[in-house]
Amino acid sequence: MSWKPSLLDTTEPGGWCLLHCEQHFLGDANGVLFAREWLKKQDLPLLETEHGIGHFKGDAVYLLQVDRPVELPGCQWQSLRQWMMQGDADTFALLGYAAQIAVWAAHNRFCGSCGNPMQQVAGERAMHCERCAVHHYPRLSPSMIVLVTRGDEILLARSKRFVTGMYSTLAGFVEAGESVEQCVHREVLEEVGVRVHNLQYLGSQGWPFPHSLMLGFHAEFASGDIVMQEDEIEDAQWFSVHDLPPLPASRSIARFLIDVYVARRLGLPEPVLPG
């Protein structure tokens, strides 16, 4: 893999730099990385301090954030989802990590307890409040994602937020005091009104929208008829593995869960989880 996260010293010169604003990255004809010293000389409305985030193809990479999109000649802003669809896997891994660090840093500029400005901790990926003596580290929100199966059929649903026509698996955040398995049962029942059993864990994927850790399962249908949760689900249906609708992006864990089950039913080689 060309991307390796690490904590870099921002006092060191050179390297490449990403420019981020609210889940969007600036890019040009050469990609998303800019000469660091050149970018820092531009008139940018920087939101907070610089972050050294790791190495891409052996070169040091740093992250800068602005409080609003800025225009630079020959450049344009693209959302993280657009980069996911258009870029290669290593570039998306780089941008996904950078986006999570950017969200964490932006949300911890001030202490949530006393309002005091937070400071980066030298040599550690942490923000520190001197008044409260607390550290805040990058946040991960555990969530489950599950493909419900019934023989040669899989249950897929769509949200109003999805691309027109696309269906995907069910997902939801783990609540306090809840196991991931309990979350699977609860979310499936809440979102589509059916009960499941025989859960099988298949793998996990960091999902930077904005800072989830997706834990992926297959679950067999047990009972019930589809009753959609109106504020969450626009449509939900059983689909044959021989006749599927438009599906999520190939490097997503949602697509991986679907592709694995289809491969097993049709006797095809199983895919490998991207990442």
Side-chain angles (χ1 to χ4, degrees), residues 119-130:
Q119 303 295 325
Q120 286 193 58
V121 178
E124 190 175 4
R125 188 78 70 198
M127 301 292 280
H128 175 68
C129 174
E130 294 184 355

Side-chain angles (χ1 to χ4, degrees), residues 47-117:
L47 187 62
E48 36 82 21
T49 54
E50 186 180 29
H51 298 273
I53 60 172
H55 292 86
F56 188 72
K57 298 180 179 179
D59 294 325
V61 178
Y62 298 81
L63 171 68
L64 289 173
Q65 292 205 76
V66 289
D67 62 8
R68 63 184 183 277
V70 294
E71 293 186 8
L72 293 177
C75 301
Q76 63 178 354
W77 291 91
Q78 285 188 291
S79 71
L80 182 57
R81 289 190 182 275
Q82 289 175 299
W83 286 107
M84 177 182 72
M85 299 297 292
Q86 298 174 12
D88 60 70
D90 286 344
T91 299
F92 178 65
L94 162 66
L95 297 183
Y97 181 79
Q100 292 184 73
I101 298 302
V103 169
W104 160 73
H107 289 181
N108 289 280
R109 296 170 62 202
F110 300 94
C111 177
S113 297
C114 70
N116 198 52

